[in-house]
Amino acid sequence: MTTMATRPTTTTDTGTDGDGGTRPGNAEYGRRPFKRSRSHFVDRVTADGRDGWPVEAGRYRLVVSRACPWASRALISRRVLGLESAISLAVTDPIQDDRSWRFTLDAGGRDPVLGIRYLAEAYDAREKDHPGGVSVPAIVDVPTGKLVTNDFKQITLDFATEWRALHREGAPDLYPEALREEMDEVMDGIHRDVNSGVYRAGFAITQDEYEDAYRAVFARLATVSRRLADRRYLMGDTLTEADIRLFTTLVRFDAVYHGHFKCNQYKIAEDPVLRGYVRDLYQTPGFGDTVDFDHIKRHYYLVHTGVNPNGILPLGPDLAGWLAPHHREELGGRPFGDGTPPGPVPAAEEVPAAGRP
């Protein structure tokens, strides 16, 4: 198992980072412009199996890094919808080496279900010499060991819609049909300016690139803050996919994006609306219980050696505030609508104490 002091192997090959974009070697982070590529493997797991991958309990394995905001979307969706028994979970080491995501957290350094040391092996089983690199989240077909999809945007939408037959009783509708047009517009702006914007700022190689990204991040955060001032969630009184997508960036913001990515106009903790909103979500079953701050910090600060060449791992921030009262319940609303919260986290999937407040 990787220790806190371990430094990742520096590489110069091209792959993908955990957000689905182009990943240079670790030492090249911050020395090349940030550029997001489309997911290469875009097959879908659907109810009718039209791409050859039918929804089937126990057939697939979801591979994630708890450090990655894009993978965290899938983690939260899976928990909230109660899909834990339908699709098993593999968690990679937050520290990548020259073959990207690895299973060194597991006994013997192998995933116990897939039997592989690196997620790259599932990619290669699907397509040798595929373009791009190795990203999470990824869904792998257990019987064949082949990657099915790394389309991070579609995976969670399909969890919410195509996997309905396997949802737990009381699962919420995370992508309600009546709200989809407005939701898509809201999520597109958040994706462009916040989810991706922090990366464009953090990996900028010119002052102009950095300033453009920085301004877009905080302009969108101001817009979101105004939207949330009089409603508990982005789409009103209940949780949706839009909240999941915003949460995974906000929960990392003060720990890594404010300092490491130089998005330092203010911290989320300094905006009363956003502070309350993200704490409310963190304390909601299915959200905070998937977050590992230890993995988050170690990945960003120890893998991005082009940005943080000395590999200094910050001691802060203090995590106690995540459990403080948020008072968002005063706005009303019901997080799960007519449904219910998810049950307890499966024992094997609990976040270690080092990653929690």
Side-chain angles (χ1 to χ4, degrees):
M1 181 177 295
T2 305
T3 64
M4 293 289 287
T6 300
R7 293 285 299 278
T9 302
T10 299
T11 68
T12 55
D13 66 317
T14 298
T16 63
D17 59 16
D19 61 20
T22 300
R23 180 183 66 83
N26 298 337
E28 295 301 307
Y29 280 116
R31 296 174 183 169
R32 297 182 184 179
F34 174 73
K35 181 181 179 182
R36 185 175 313 285
S37 61
R38 290 182 178 272
S39 298
H40 177 64
F41 299 98
V42 294
D43 286 1
R44 295 172 60 188
V45 180
T46 58
D48 63 6
R50 57 186 175 272
D51 286 351
W53 309 105
V55 170
E56 182 180 329
R59 175 171 175 176
Y60 306 101
R61 191 154 174 82
L62 175 66
V63 182
V64 303
S65 164
R66 291 192 188 273
C68 168
W70 319 93
S72 289
R73 297 177 180 184
L75 267 174
I76 294 169
S77 179
R78 174 178 173 270
R79 272 278 293 137
V80 169
L81 297 172
L83 291 171
E84 292 102 322
S85 62
I87 180 167
S88 63
L89 181 68
V91 178
T92 66
D93 194 313
I95 306 296
Q96 300 159 291
D97 69 8
D98 59 347
R99 291 190 64 183
S100 193
W101 301 109
R102 52 190 184 158
F103 296 106
T104 44
L105 301 181
D106 294 302
R110 290 185 182 274
D111 178 79
V113 173
L114 300 173
I116 57 178
R117 293 184 179 278
Y118 293 89
L119 178 56
E121 295 173 58
Y123 275 69
D124 290 342
R126 172 70 184 275
E127 181 183 331
K128 276 284 189 182
D129 302 319
H130 58 86
V134 180
S135 65
V136 288
I139 292 180
V140 179
D141 181 48
V142 174
T144 63
K146 294 180 179 180
L147 178 78
V148 175
T149 179
N150 65 345
D151 190 348
F152 66 94
K153 284 186 179 181
Q154 194 62 48
I155 286 172
T156 51
L157 295 180
D158 284 343
F159 277 175
T161 56
E162 299 290 334
W163 290 66
R164 285 185 188 276
L166 298 177
H167 287 182
R168 65 178 176 85
E169 185 177 354
D173 185 353
L174 293 177
Y175 195 44
E177 194 163 356
L179 297 177
R180 288 181 188 178
E181 184 175 354
E182 182 184 2
M183 274 185 69
D184 289 345
E185 182 178 353
V186 169
M187 292 191 298
D188 284 349
I190 289 171
H191 174 79
R192 181 183 61 251
D193 298 331
V194 179
N195 302 145
S196 293
V198 292
Y199 281 86
R200 288 199 305 275
F203 294 151
I205 60 171
T206 70
Q207 188 69 28
D208 286 346
E209 288 175 359
Y210 162 70
E211 290 185 9
D212 287 347
Y214 174 100
R215 292 190 178 99
V217 167
F218 287 97
R220 183 63 59 178
L221 287 178
T223 298
V224 169
S225 182
R226 288 192 296 270
R227 182 181 183 90
L228 290 167
D230 59 359
R231 63 175 80 189
R232 191 166 178 184
Y233 305 109
L234 283 169
M235 302 309 300
D237 289 339
T238 59
L239 291 164
T240 65
E241 168 84 8
D243 297 293
I244 294 174
R245 294 189 181 193
L246 179 58
F247 172 80
T248 58
T249 296
L250 294 188
V251 78
R252 289 163 172 75
F253 200 95
D254 292 359
V256 290
Y257 303 143
H258 179 271
H260 185 57
F261 280 176
K262 306 179 188 71
C263 294
N264 58 358
Q265 182 175 331
Y266 54 80
K267 296 178 180 179
I268 298 302
E270 295 167 355
D271 181 302
V273 172
L274 295 180
R275 178 183 66 226
Y277 169 77
V278 73
R279 284 181 181 174
D280 186 6
L281 292 180
Y282 184 84
Q283 294 171 33
T284 299
F287 283 76
D289 54 30
T290 69
V291 175
D292 190 325
F293 285 105
D294 176 54
H295 278 206
I296 290 168
K297 286 170 52 177
R298 285 197 285 143
H299 173 74
Y300 282 91
Y301 286 102
L302 299 184
V303 171
H304 299 166
T305 56
V307 179
N308 185 34
N310 291 325
I312 303 299
L313 188 66
L315 294 176
D318 185 354
L319 300 180
W322 287 104
L323 302 180
H326 53 75
H327 305 295
R328 294 285 292 181
E329 69 278 2
E330 296 172 8
L331 293 173
R334 298 171 299 153
F336 301 97
D338 293 330
T340 58
V345 179
E349 297 182 10
E350 290 182 353
V351 173
R356 296 183 274 115

